[in-house]
Amino acid sequence: MTIRSMHQAIEGAYMARRKMRALVVAFSFALLLRVVSQYAIGIFWDWYFFTWLISSGILVNQATAIESWGWFVEWTPAFIGSGMLVNLNVAVSFLAGSGLAWYLSRTLSHELQLTTWAHLRGIIGPYLVSQGFAFGEHRSTDPQWSHLMSYSSLSSDFANADRPSPRYWLLWPGVICMMATSLTGPSSSSGTPSEADEGIKTWMWFPGLLIVIVVSCPILKIQYDMLIIETLLAFFLAFILSLLAIQATVATDQPPLGTLSKVSQVINAGVNSQPTIEGSQRLNLLAGALTNIGGSQACDLIGDFRVGYLLGTPSRQQYTTQMIGTSLATFISPGIFVLFATAYPCILTTENTATCEFSASSVSAWRTVAVAVTEPELPIPSSSLNLATIMSFLGIFAVLVRHFLWRGKWAKCALTIKI
């Protein structure tokens, strides 16, 4: 719709200009807000209502408990725009997941006031702390803030089976449930194959694929000591899981790349030949990265060609421009990453996650999975695995209901009930 609006005929030029003006205004406002917010912390961006209450001496007990669980308002134009683009089911699902994991239904027991945190009440996160299944760490030594806690640490002290943080404990039900539902969705779909596009021939892409594989094997062997058989397995998984990623992306507009990459991590952990834990973790991340790269490129490509199909663009011309863009991005992307990591160095560490501008939750999940599958003993709390199993079965059941029950006379239920 955006491309068509920018290239409307003469009779639609006025409307096209109005749409372009709206795009420019929205972009400029978001950019200006983000720059100005750096010089007006707590005014234009993050609103810490509960910190303000603590500083004012109002409802200190309740505000401290809620602030410890990370609840605040962040006016992020990017997230607001994303929420406007996705359907209501996706937005409600994200909100429900956050509430299920972190919501506080009662802050502190009335009689104990601030003398103990052992009686926190809530849904999953606060319940874990109240029952001794998960633990937090103190944020500050200042007497006024001595009871302020952080429950999102993924450092080595809180990423283990004995003393997990709520975030680490909740990581496994989330990842495993996503993994189960992502693999169930495409396998239960009944799609029909479309006609092959005669504009793109096999000789246009197959030699390049062979070159990439042939060049990657020795490079990964020399630089990272990754065996050729491990590299070939990673490429094979990238191919298979990319097909699943495409199907899931087409159906939901949400590419499950992180989830599918973790599938690759788990499988590759069984064939890892490295004698040290550090080497095993490095190769495990590499294997997951190869799968992620393949799935990401496949999803982007299928999305681009769908747009080209809707616009009537000749596929061969689009393929040529894709090759040009990809070649340039190969050199530009690393520079962008270095620039971003320089501006926000906290994204490269698991320390001080509470104060980092970007929590990089998916990155932390990658690291955590790599550590878990390469340890001699699985460092996952048994209670977390039990909940992960239950949620996986519920997720699979929901997918099967959507694909097989909402049919025929029940199809109208899918319009009002989204699982």
Side-chain angles (χ1 to χ4, degrees), residues 34-353:
R34 190 63 185 112
V35 173
V36 172
S37 67
Q38 299 294 311
Y39 302 95
I41 303 297
I43 299 177
F44 293 110
W45 198 258
D46 295 335
W47 289 5
Y48 289 87
F49 290 107
F50 306 106
T51 300
W52 301 342
L53 291 177
I54 298 172
S55 301
S56 303
I58 303 173
L59 299 175
V60 175
N61 299 352
Q62 293 82 354
T64 301
I66 298 174
E67 179 68 24
S68 293
W69 288 97
W71 286 98
F72 64 95
V73 176
E74 183 175 83
W75 295 104
T76 311
F79 285 174
I80 295 174
S82 298
M84 296 170 66
L85 292 175
V86 302
N87 59 47
L88 184 61
N89 184 41
V90 174
V92 171
S93 296
F94 276 115
L95 179 61
S98 299
L100 180 64
W102 306 106
Y103 175 71
L104 279 166
S105 61
R106 191 173 73 187
T107 54
L108 290 169
S109 61
H110 174 71
E111 63 276 7
L112 293 181
Q113 299 284 324
L114 278 176
T115 59
T116 180
W117 288 80
H119 288 71
L120 276 168
R121 294 291 185 269
I123 304 187
I124 297 181
Y127 177 79
L128 294 174
V129 174
S130 69
Q131 299 300 313
F133 291 116
F135 305 87
E137 60 180 341
H138 290 276
R139 287 194 194 178
S140 174
T141 57
D142 189 315
Q144 183 182 4
W145 308 97
S146 60
H147 295 284
L148 196 62
M149 307 289 290
S150 172
Y151 297 106
S152 60
S153 176
L154 286 179
S155 65
S156 57
D157 294 334
F158 292 92
N160 54 69
D162 299 325
R163 190 178 173 82
S165 67
R167 183 181 176 189
Y168 180 80
W169 196 100
L170 288 164
L171 170 70
W172 301 104
V175 168
I176 295 175
C177 182
M178 288 175 60
M179 187 184 302
T181 54
S182 296
L183 295 177
T184 304
S187 61
S188 60
S189 299
S190 56
T192 56
S194 60
E195 295 184 3
D197 191 332
E198 296 298 330
I200 301 177
K201 306 296 183 180
T202 303
W203 63 263
M204 298 174 64
W205 60 267
F206 189 71
L209 175 62
L210 289 180
I211 293 174
V212 169
I213 295 176
V214 171
V215 172
S216 298
C217 288
I219 289 178
L220 292 175
K221 171 61 179 176
I222 296 172
Q223 188 166 359
Y224 299 107
D225 195 25
M226 190 173 188
L227 298 180
I228 293 179
I229 188 64
E230 294 173 337
T231 303
L232 294 177
L233 175 61
F235 276 119
F236 175 76
L237 291 174
F239 174 76
I240 297 298
L241 296 178
S242 291
L243 298 178
L244 299 177
I246 289 173
Q247 293 187 48
T249 302
V250 170
T252 67
D253 200 34
Q254 299 294 315
L257 299 177
T259 303
L260 297 179
S261 300
K262 292 171 182 60
V263 175
S264 177
Q265 285 183 267
V266 173
I267 295 176
N268 278 276
V271 298
N272 202 310
S273 61
Q274 290 295 307
T276 64
I277 294 295
E278 292 78 9
S280 298
Q281 292 173 356
R282 181 176 62 250
L283 292 191
N284 189 267
L285 287 174
L286 279 173
L290 289 174
T291 299
N292 188 279
I293 292 169
S296 176
Q297 296 300 320
C299 292
D300 287 344
L301 194 63
I302 197 67
D304 293 342
F305 273 93
R306 288 178 72 191
V307 174
Y309 173 79
L310 294 175
L311 293 173
T313 305
S315 56
R316 182 169 295 191
Q317 293 182 13
Q318 186 172 356
Y319 180 80
T320 303
T321 57
Q322 293 281 161
M323 292 292 292
I324 296 173
T326 301
S327 300
L328 294 175
T330 302
F331 300 97
I332 296 175
S333 297
I336 294 177
F337 172 77
V338 171
L339 176 64
F340 192 83
T342 303
Y344 302 100
C346 62
I347 66 171
L348 299 178
T349 178
T350 57
E351 306 298 332
N352 301 321
T353 55

